[in-house]
Amino acid sequence: MIAPVLVFFVVFSYFPMVGVYYAFTNYNFDGGLFGSPFVGMQNFKFLYESGALLSLTKNTVLYNLAFIFIGNLLQLICAIFLSELTSKWFKKTAQSIMFLPFFISFVLVGAFVFNLFNTETGVINALLKQFGMQTYDFYMNTEPWKYIIIFFNVWKGLGYGTVIYLAAIMSISDEYHEAAKIDGANIFHRIRYITIPMLIPTFILLILLSLGGILKGQFDLFYQIIGNNGMLYESTDIIDTYVYRSLAVNFDIGMGTAAGLYQSFFGFVLVMTVNWIIKKTREDYALF
């Protein structure tokens, strides 16, 4: 029964790893994979000396940290609020409304963003004109996009994450809450001393799993919202979008593979390090 799974991972995960060799070549289409000139660490050296690697790593890590911690915190809060609602009809309605954005594609999210923020016909600038105020060119200024991207990522994943935490809350035995009520604990005491401590293992597990992809940004989100607007690359360019441009626009396969390999290696080291720290402090919560 395990054979199909093993075959799947061998074919789609391990065989393609041969392509890692691209990172150490000055790839040309005539020579192919093994016929292109071997350049060793030159691609990595160029990425580092050009400053691109540092900028891409900083943007990718900071965005993902914001996605992970802000997203999980809001999901946890929403799940606790929903679990305490007494009206089943309102709880189901609210949960469905929150979950709906998860099914919206990033193409539509990009369309929403453009129609909100474009200079000529965007909703925000139209309102500014209506009130006699000066319009703001969002697509020429990098500063607002940090918050716009984080907002839409959190908004899109809020419902899905809330369901995970809500399922964990539902698994908490009612006996804890009943005993706390008998002892005179109010709803805030029960949340603080029962619900939140019981959710810590789920919270840590989700954080650990998310950290594994901390250098794998939401390519769909960034590409559909920012596109190829070079004016915004300073604060919105991440490793995934750089790799895409290297392969699809610049046709620099060696450089794109080098960035992708660095991304995977850094993520692996990060997961191993964080798991080791958690194993030393709270062994029961470690992945392995």
Short mmCIF file of all heavy atoms in Angstrom, two decimals, residues 192-234:
data_model
loop_
_atom_site.label_atom_id
_atom_site.label_comp_id
_atom_site.label_asym_id
_atom_site.label_seq_id
_atom_site.Cartn_x
_atom_site.Cartn_y
_atom_site.Cartn_z
N ARG A 192 -8.35 31.95 29.42
CA ARG A 192 -6.94 32.16 29.78
C ARG A 192 -6.29 30.90 30.35
O ARG A 192 -5.14 30.59 30.01
CB ARG A 192 -6.84 33.31 30.79
CG ARG A 192 -5.41 33.58 31.23
CD ARG A 192 -5.35 34.73 32.23
NE ARG A 192 -3.98 34.94 32.70
CZ ARG A 192 -3.64 35.84 33.62
NH1 ARG A 192 -4.58 36.63 34.16
NH2 ARG A 192 -2.39 35.96 34.01
N TYR A 193 -7.00 30.19 31.21
CA TYR A 193 -6.36 29.08 31.94
C TYR A 193 -6.68 27.70 31.38
O TYR A 193 -6.05 26.72 31.79
CB TYR A 193 -6.77 29.14 33.42
CG TYR A 193 -6.26 30.37 34.13
CD1 TYR A 193 -7.13 31.41 34.48
CD2 TYR A 193 -4.91 30.51 34.43
CE1 TYR A 193 -6.67 32.55 35.12
CE2 TYR A 193 -4.44 31.65 35.07
CZ TYR A 193 -5.31 32.67 35.41
OH TYR A 193 -4.84 33.79 36.04
N ILE A 194 -7.66 27.61 30.46
CA ILE A 194 -8.00 26.30 29.89
C ILE A 194 -7.79 26.28 28.37
O ILE A 194 -6.98 25.50 27.86
CB ILE A 194 -9.45 25.91 30.23
CG1 ILE A 194 -9.64 25.79 31.74
CG2 ILE A 194 -9.82 24.59 29.55
CD1 ILE A 194 -11.07 25.52 32.17
N THR A 195 -8.51 27.16 27.67
CA THR A 195 -8.50 27.11 26.20
C THR A 195 -7.11 27.40 25.62
O THR A 195 -6.59 26.62 24.83
CB THR A 195 -9.51 28.12 25.62
OG1 THR A 195 -10.81 27.86 26.18
CG2 THR A 195 -9.59 27.97 24.11
N ILE A 196 -6.53 28.53 26.03
CA ILE A 196 -5.22 28.92 25.45
C ILE A 196 -4.13 27.90 25.77
O ILE A 196 -3.39 27.48 24.86
CB ILE A 196 -4.84 30.34 25.90
CG1 ILE A 196 -5.80 31.35 25.28
CG2 ILE A 196 -3.40 30.66 25.52
CD1 ILE A 196 -5.55 32.79 25.67
N PRO A 197 -3.96 27.46 27.04
CA PRO A 197 -2.93 26.43 27.30
C PRO A 197 -3.14 25.15 26.50
O PRO A 197 -2.17 24.51 26.07
CB PRO A 197 -3.06 26.17 28.80
CG PRO A 197 -3.62 27.44 29.35
CD PRO A 197 -4.56 27.93 28.30
N MET A 198 -4.41 24.76 26.30
CA MET A 198 -4.69 23.54 25.53
C MET A 198 -4.38 23.71 24.05
O MET A 198 -4.16 22.72 23.34
CB MET A 198 -6.17 23.16 25.69
CG MET A 198 -6.53 22.64 27.07
SD MET A 198 -5.90 20.99 27.35
CE MET A 198 -6.71 20.58 28.90
N LEU A 199 -4.36 24.96 23.58
CA LEU A 199 -4.10 25.21 22.16
C LEU A 199 -2.61 25.41 21.87
O LEU A 199 -2.22 25.48 20.70
CB LEU A 199 -4.87 26.46 21.70
CG LEU A 199 -6.38 26.30 21.54
CD1 LEU A 199 -7.00 27.63 21.14
CD2 LEU A 199 -6.72 25.24 20.52
N ILE A 200 -1.78 25.51 22.89
CA ILE A 200 -0.35 25.75 22.68
C ILE A 200 0.30 24.68 21.80
O ILE A 200 1.08 25.01 20.89
CB ILE A 200 0.39 25.89 24.03
CG1 ILE A 200 0.02 27.24 24.67
CG2 ILE A 200 1.91 25.80 23.84
CD1 ILE A 200 0.63 27.47 26.03
N PRO A 201 0.05 23.37 22.03
CA PRO A 201 0.66 22.36 21.14
C PRO A 201 0.29 22.55 19.67
O PRO A 201 1.14 22.43 18.79
CB PRO A 201 0.11 21.03 21.68
CG PRO A 201 -0.23 21.31 23.10
CD PRO A 201 -0.70 22.73 23.12
N THR A 202 -0.99 22.86 19.39
CA THR A 202 -1.43 23.09 18.01
C THR A 202 -0.75 24.33 17.44
O THR A 202 -0.30 24.33 16.29
CB THR A 202 -2.97 23.28 17.96
OG1 THR A 202 -3.59 22.14 18.53
CG2 THR A 202 -3.44 23.45 16.53
N PHE A 203 -0.65 25.38 18.24
CA PHE A 203 -0.02 26.63 17.81
C PHE A 203 1.45 26.39 17.45
O PHE A 203 1.92 26.81 16.39
CB PHE A 203 -0.14 27.67 18.92
CG PHE A 203 0.43 29.02 18.57
CD1 PHE A 203 -0.31 29.92 17.83
CD2 PHE A 203 1.71 29.38 18.98
CE1 PHE A 203 0.21 31.17 17.50
CE2 PHE A 203 2.24 30.62 18.66
CZ PHE A 203 1.48 31.52 17.92
N ILE A 204 2.17 25.68 18.32
CA ILE A 204 3.60 25.42 18.08
C ILE A 204 3.78 24.54 16.85
O ILE A 204 4.68 24.78 16.03
CB ILE A 204 4.25 24.77 19.32
CG1 ILE A 204 4.30 25.77 20.47
CG2 ILE A 204 5.65 24.26 19.00
CD1 ILE A 204 4.86 25.22 21.76
N LEU A 205 2.92 23.53 16.69
CA LEU A 205 3.03 22.64 15.52
C LEU A 205 2.82 23.41 14.22
O LEU A 205 3.59 23.25 13.27
CB LEU A 205 2.00 21.51 15.64
CG LEU A 205 1.97 20.50 14.48
CD1 LEU A 205 3.31 19.79 14.35
CD2 LEU A 205 0.83 19.51 14.65
N LEU A 206 1.81 24.28 14.18
CA LEU A 206 1.54 25.06 12.97
C LEU A 206 2.66 26.05 12.68
O LEU A 206 3.03 26.27 11.52
CB LEU A 206 0.20 25.80 13.11
CG LEU A 206 -1.05 24.93 13.11
CD1 LEU A 206 -2.29 25.77 13.38
CD2 LEU A 206 -1.19 24.17 11.80
N ILE A 207 3.23 26.63 13.74
CA ILE A 207 4.37 27.55 13.56
C ILE A 207 5.56 26.79 13.00
O ILE A 207 6.23 27.25 12.07
CB ILE A 207 4.75 28.22 14.89
CG1 ILE A 207 3.64 29.18 15.36
CG2 ILE A 207 6.08 28.97 14.76
CD1 ILE A 207 3.45 30.39 14.49
N LEU A 208 5.83 25.61 13.55
CA LEU A 208 6.96 24.80 13.08
C LEU A 208 6.80 24.42 11.61
O LEU A 208 7.75 24.52 10.82
CB LEU A 208 7.06 23.52 13.92
CG LEU A 208 8.21 23.43 14.94
CD1 LEU A 208 8.17 22.11 15.67
CD2 LEU A 208 9.55 23.62 14.26
N LEU A 209 5.61 23.99 11.25
CA LEU A 209 5.37 23.60 9.86
C LEU A 209 5.49 24.82 8.93
O LEU A 209 5.98 24.70 7.81
CB LEU A 209 3.98 22.97 9.73
CG LEU A 209 3.79 21.61 10.43
CD1 LEU A 209 2.33 21.18 10.35
CD2 LEU A 209 4.69 20.55 9.80
N SER A 210 5.05 25.97 9.41
CA SER A 210 5.13 27.19 8.60
C SER A 210 6.57 27.65 8.43
O SER A 210 6.94 28.16 7.37
CB SER A 210 4.31 28.31 9.24
OG SER A 210 2.95 27.95 9.36
N LEU A 211 7.40 27.47 9.47
CA LEU A 211 8.79 27.91 9.40
C LEU A 211 9.58 27.17 8.32
O LEU A 211 10.55 27.68 7.79
CB LEU A 211 9.47 27.74 10.76
CG LEU A 211 9.08 28.74 11.85
CD1 LEU A 211 9.74 28.38 13.17
CD2 LEU A 211 9.48 30.16 11.43
N GLY A 212 9.13 25.95 8.01
CA GLY A 212 9.81 25.18 6.97
C GLY A 212 9.75 25.86 5.62
O GLY A 212 10.63 25.69 4.78
N GLY A 213 8.71 26.65 5.41
CA GLY A 213 8.57 27.35 4.13
C GLY A 213 8.76 28.85 4.26
O GLY A 213 8.21 29.61 3.49
N ILE A 214 9.56 29.27 5.28
CA ILE A 214 9.69 30.70 5.54
C ILE A 214 10.40 31.42 4.40
O ILE A 214 10.24 32.63 4.22
CB ILE A 214 10.43 30.94 6.88
CG1 ILE A 214 10.18 32.37 7.36
CG2 ILE A 214 11.92 30.65 6.75
CD1 ILE A 214 10.63 32.62 8.77
N LEU A 215 11.18 30.69 3.61
CA LEU A 215 11.82 31.32 2.45
C LEU A 215 11.06 31.03 1.16
O LEU A 215 11.53 31.37 0.09
CB LEU A 215 13.27 30.85 2.31
CG LEU A 215 14.28 31.58 3.21
CD1 LEU A 215 15.70 31.18 2.86
CD2 LEU A 215 14.15 33.09 3.11
N LYS A 216 9.92 30.37 1.27
CA LYS A 216 9.08 30.14 0.10
C LYS A 216 7.87 31.06 0.22
O LYS A 216 6.88 30.73 0.86
CB LYS A 216 8.65 28.67 0.03
CG LYS A 216 9.81 27.73 -0.27
CD LYS A 216 9.33 26.32 -0.50
CE LYS A 216 10.49 25.40 -0.83
NZ LYS A 216 11.17 25.73 -2.08
N GLY A 217 7.99 32.22 -0.38
CA GLY A 217 6.92 33.20 -0.28
C GLY A 217 5.70 32.80 -1.11
O GLY A 217 5.74 31.85 -1.90
N GLN A 218 4.62 33.51 -0.90
CA GLN A 218 3.40 33.27 -1.66
C GLN A 218 3.58 33.87 -3.05
O GLN A 218 3.21 35.02 -3.29
CB GLN A 218 2.22 33.90 -0.93
CG GLN A 218 1.87 33.25 0.38
CD GLN A 218 0.97 32.04 0.17
OE1 GLN A 218 0.67 31.65 -0.95
NE2 GLN A 218 0.55 31.42 1.26
N PHE A 219 4.13 33.08 -3.97
CA PHE A 219 4.42 33.61 -5.31
C PHE A 219 3.16 34.15 -5.97
O PHE A 219 3.16 35.23 -6.56
CB PHE A 219 5.04 32.52 -6.18
CG PHE A 219 5.14 32.91 -7.63
CD1 PHE A 219 6.14 33.76 -8.06
CD2 PHE A 219 4.22 32.45 -8.58
CE1 PHE A 219 6.24 34.15 -9.39
CE2 PHE A 219 4.31 32.82 -9.90
CZ PHE A 219 5.32 33.68 -10.32
N ASP A 220 2.07 33.38 -5.91
CA ASP A 220 0.81 33.82 -6.53
C ASP A 220 0.38 35.18 -6.00
O ASP A 220 -0.04 36.05 -6.77
CB ASP A 220 -0.30 32.80 -6.28
CG ASP A 220 -0.04 31.49 -6.98
OD1 ASP A 220 0.82 31.47 -7.87
OD2 ASP A 220 -0.69 30.49 -6.64
N LEU A 221 0.47 35.34 -4.69
CA LEU A 221 0.05 36.60 -4.08
C LEU A 221 0.89 37.76 -4.59
O LEU A 221 0.36 38.78 -5.05
CB LEU A 221 0.18 36.49 -2.55
CG LEU A 221 -0.03 37.77 -1.75
CD1 LEU A 221 -1.49 38.19 -1.81
CD2 LEU A 221 0.41 37.59 -0.31
N PHE A 222 2.21 37.62 -4.54
CA PHE A 222 3.09 38.72 -4.92
C PHE A 222 3.02 39.00 -6.42
O PHE A 222 2.99 40.16 -6.85
CB PHE A 222 4.54 38.40 -4.53
CG PHE A 222 4.81 38.58 -3.06
CD1 PHE A 222 4.53 37.56 -2.17
CD2 PHE A 222 5.33 39.77 -2.58
CE1 PHE A 222 4.77 37.72 -0.82
CE2 PHE A 222 5.58 39.94 -1.22
CZ PHE A 222 5.30 38.91 -0.34
N TYR A 223 2.96 37.94 -7.22
CA TYR A 223 2.97 38.15 -8.67
C TYR A 223 1.66 38.75 -9.16
O TYR A 223 1.67 39.63 -10.03
CB TYR A 223 3.24 36.83 -9.40
CG TYR A 223 3.38 37.02 -10.89
CD1 TYR A 223 4.53 37.62 -11.42
CD2 TYR A 223 2.37 36.63 -11.77
CE1 TYR A 223 4.66 37.82 -12.79
CE2 TYR A 223 2.50 36.83 -13.13
CZ TYR A 223 3.64 37.42 -13.65
OH TYR A 223 3.76 37.63 -14.99
N GLN A 224 0.54 38.29 -8.62
CA GLN A 224 -0.74 38.81 -9.07
C GLN A 224 -0.99 40.23 -8.58
O GLN A 224 -1.67 41.00 -9.25
CB GLN A 224 -1.88 37.89 -8.59
CG GLN A 224 -1.86 36.50 -9.19
CD GLN A 224 -2.00 36.53 -10.71
OE1 GLN A 224 -2.54 37.46 -11.29
NE2 GLN A 224 -1.49 35.50 -11.37
N ILE A 225 -0.44 40.60 -7.43
CA ILE A 225 -0.66 41.94 -6.90
C ILE A 225 0.36 42.94 -7.46
O ILE A 225 0.01 44.05 -7.87
CB ILE A 225 -0.59 41.94 -5.36
CG1 ILE A 225 -1.84 41.25 -4.79
CG2 ILE A 225 -0.50 43.36 -4.80
CD1 ILE A 225 -1.88 41.18 -3.28
N ILE A 226 1.63 42.53 -7.52
CA ILE A 226 2.69 43.44 -7.95
C ILE A 226 3.00 43.30 -9.43
O ILE A 226 3.26 44.27 -10.13
CB ILE A 226 3.97 43.21 -7.12
CG1 ILE A 226 3.67 43.36 -5.64
CG2 ILE A 226 5.07 44.16 -7.55
CD1 ILE A 226 3.12 44.70 -5.23
N GLY A 227 2.99 42.06 -9.94
CA GLY A 227 3.32 41.81 -11.33
C GLY A 227 4.77 42.13 -11.63
O GLY A 227 5.67 41.82 -10.85
N ASN A 228 5.02 42.79 -12.74
CA ASN A 228 6.38 43.15 -13.15
C ASN A 228 6.66 44.64 -12.95
O ASN A 228 7.40 45.24 -13.73
CB ASN A 228 6.61 42.77 -14.62
CG ASN A 228 6.61 41.27 -14.82
OD1 ASN A 228 7.20 40.53 -14.03
ND2 ASN A 228 5.96 40.81 -15.88
N ASN A 229 6.07 45.19 -11.93
CA ASN A 229 6.27 46.61 -11.63
C ASN A 229 7.61 46.79 -10.91
O ASN A 229 7.71 46.61 -9.70
CB ASN A 229 5.12 47.14 -10.76
CG ASN A 229 5.19 48.64 -10.57
OD1 ASN A 229 6.19 49.28 -10.85
ND2 ASN A 229 4.08 49.21 -10.11
N GLY A 230 8.64 47.15 -11.68
CA GLY A 230 9.98 47.28 -11.11
C GLY A 230 10.09 48.37 -10.07
O GLY A 230 11.02 48.35 -9.25
N MET A 231 9.18 49.33 -10.05
CA MET A 231 9.23 50.41 -9.07
C MET A 231 9.00 49.90 -7.65
O MET A 231 9.40 50.55 -6.69
CB MET A 231 8.16 51.47 -9.40
CG MET A 231 8.37 52.18 -10.73
SD MET A 231 9.87 53.16 -10.75
CE MET A 231 9.53 54.34 -9.46
N LEU A 232 8.36 48.74 -7.53
CA LEU A 232 8.01 48.23 -6.20
C LEU A 232 8.91 47.08 -5.74
O LEU A 232 8.70 46.53 -4.66
CB LEU A 232 6.55 47.76 -6.20
CG LEU A 232 5.51 48.78 -6.65
CD1 LEU A 232 4.11 48.18 -6.61
CD2 LEU A 232 5.57 50.02 -5.77
N TYR A 233 9.89 46.69 -6.57
CA TYR A 233 10.71 45.54 -6.24
C TYR A 233 11.48 45.72 -4.93
O TYR A 233 11.75 44.74 -4.22
CB TYR A 233 11.71 45.25 -7.36
CG TYR A 233 11.10 44.59 -8.58
CD1 TYR A 233 11.79 44.55 -9.78
CD2 TYR A 233 9.84 44.01 -8.52
CE1 TYR A 233 11.23 43.95 -10.91
CE2 TYR A 233 9.28 43.42 -9.63
CZ TYR A 233 9.98 43.39 -10.82
OH TYR A 233 9.42 42.79 -11.93
N GLU A 234 11.84 46.95 -4.60
CA GLU A 234 12.66 47.19 -3.41
C GLU A 234 12.03 46.61 -2.15
O GLU A 234 12.72 46.03 -1.30
CB GLU A 234 12.88 48.70 -3.23
CG GLU A 234 13.74 49.05 -2.02
CD GLU A 234 13.86 50.55 -1.82
OE1 GLU A 234 13.49 51.30 -2.75
OE2 GLU A 234 14.32 50.95 -0.74
#
